[in-house]
Amino acid sequence: MKLTLRVWRQRNADADGAMSTYEVDGISADMSFLEMLDTLNEELILDGEDPVAFDHDCREGICGACSLVINGDAHGPERTTTCQLHMRAFKDGDTIDVEPWRASAFPVVKDLVVDRSAFDRIIQAGGYISAPTGAAPEAHATPVPKPDADSAFEHAECIGCGACVAACPNGSAMLFTSAKVNHLNVLPQGAPERETRVLDMVGQMDAEGFGGCTLTGECATACPKGIPLPSIAAMNKEWLRATRKARKVGR
Ligand code: FES
């Protein structure tokens, strides 16, 4: 395949950015999108130009590092991560726009790389449990109802890629935060910090400058792991419950 790429180039966080146009040839339909960008970068390096900076790590859809807006969609035209998107999703002669995540809470570091450390700080605010040290407890010592275990697994699938934020017209991180709150709050092991977790993580989310949620649902549509929209409603319920309890005890 021969493709025209229009790629966002930005030297650093303070510089102005702009789209640059490149032609790439000999692209196999079996290449991943990142392998296609590798091909572009090899050519840029051979020409003595600065290669395009983009994030990636596992290239297996696990780590959430890859993060590109492709033709206006977070992770591109298929519901998967950018590293799992293959060039068979495009046609010979296509023009493809490649941009970084667009959200004020995710400032551009260089080209297609954005700073997503705001997510780390939300996790640090409450995405943990008070685990006693020592030997592992007997597996059946703490029974977990099957629906709760299924819900915890569903929310734990979030890989923190940030597609929900990039897809949201408000730049909201509600789907990410709700996945991280709910996957611990539904389990008995998460009960000791149940209230402080949701209050602190939502507080940190607001402090990071993410937008408010107006339930447009773009986040759940873009999520490569299928975190469902009702996850946000479940977190709101947890937040209301925790707020009421905190008021009662005068916190
Ligand atoms: S590089 Fe790890 S999910 Fe894409």
Side-chain angles (χ1 to χ4, degrees):
M1 279 193 280
K2 186 173 181 181
L3 301 164
T4 301
L5 301 176
R6 295 195 302 198
V7 183
W8 183 260
R9 303 301 312 258
Q10 185 171 336
R11 193 169 292 279
N12 56 51
D14 301 322
D16 288 336
M19 299 297 268
S20 294
T21 303
Y22 304 98
E23 305 286 336
V24 281
D25 203 353
I27 300 299
S28 159
D30 294 327
M31 280 181 177
S32 72
F33 199 86
L34 298 188
E35 286 168 337
M36 183 276 292
L37 288 181
D38 290 339
T39 304
L40 168 66
N41 276 346
E42 282 167 12
E43 288 172 14
L44 290 176
I45 290 167
L46 285 175
D47 291 344
E49 290 185 46
D50 192 24
V52 177
F54 61 91
D55 254 341
H56 60 98
D57 190 359
C58 71
R59 296 198 177 204
E60 292 181 345
I62 299 167
C63 72
C66 56
S67 48
L68 302 178
V69 173
I70 301 163
N71 284 345
D73 291 321
H75 291 307
E78 294 179 357
R79 195 173 184 180
T80 187
T81 55
T82 299
C83 62
Q84 295 299 295
L85 176 67
H86 287 81
M87 296 313 296
R88 64 183 77 97
F90 302 92
K91 298 190 306 292
D92 183 40
D94 272 358
T95 297
I96 306 173
D97 289 348
V98 191
E99 298 170 82
W101 280 173
R102 299 287 190 193
S104 55
F106 289 161
V108 172
V109 176
K110 183 180 180 185
D111 296 337
L112 305 172
V113 178
V114 299
D115 178 359
R116 283 174 294 168
S117 58
F119 271 11
D120 298 334
R121 291 187 289 274
I122 293 173
I123 296 282
Q124 285 165 2
Y128 52 81
I129 59 168
S130 301
T133 55
E138 202 277 321
H140 297 297
T142 310
V144 180
K146 181 76 164 65
D148 292 349
D150 287 348
S151 176
F153 270 119
E154 184 176 40
H155 290 115
E157 282 195 51
C158 170
I159 54 174
C161 63
C164 49
V165 176
C168 176
N170 308 325
S172 171
M174 285 287 275
L175 194 70
F176 164 79
T177 308
S178 66
K180 298 303 176 188
V181 166
N182 293 332
H183 102 257
L184 294 175
N185 273 25
V186 297
L187 294 173
Q189 292 88 343
E193 293 100 357
R194 183 174 171 184
E195 287 86 23
T196 54
R197 174 177 301 114
V198 66
L199 293 176
D200 292 348
M201 291 179 78
V202 169
Q204 188 63 40
M205 176 188 77
D206 289 341
E208 295 292 345
F210 290 103
C213 174
T214 48
L215 281 179
T216 59
E218 295 293 330
C219 53
T221 304
C223 175
K225 298 299 172 182
I227 305 298
L229 196 59
S231 180
I232 293 175
M235 182 178 74
N236 285 342
K237 199 169 150 194
E238 286 291 302
W239 187 87
L240 278 172
R241 178 183 174 278
T243 304
R244 271 205 295 265
K245 197 166 170 186
R247 278 202 195 116
K248 261 190 206 159
V249 296
R251 279 187 21 215

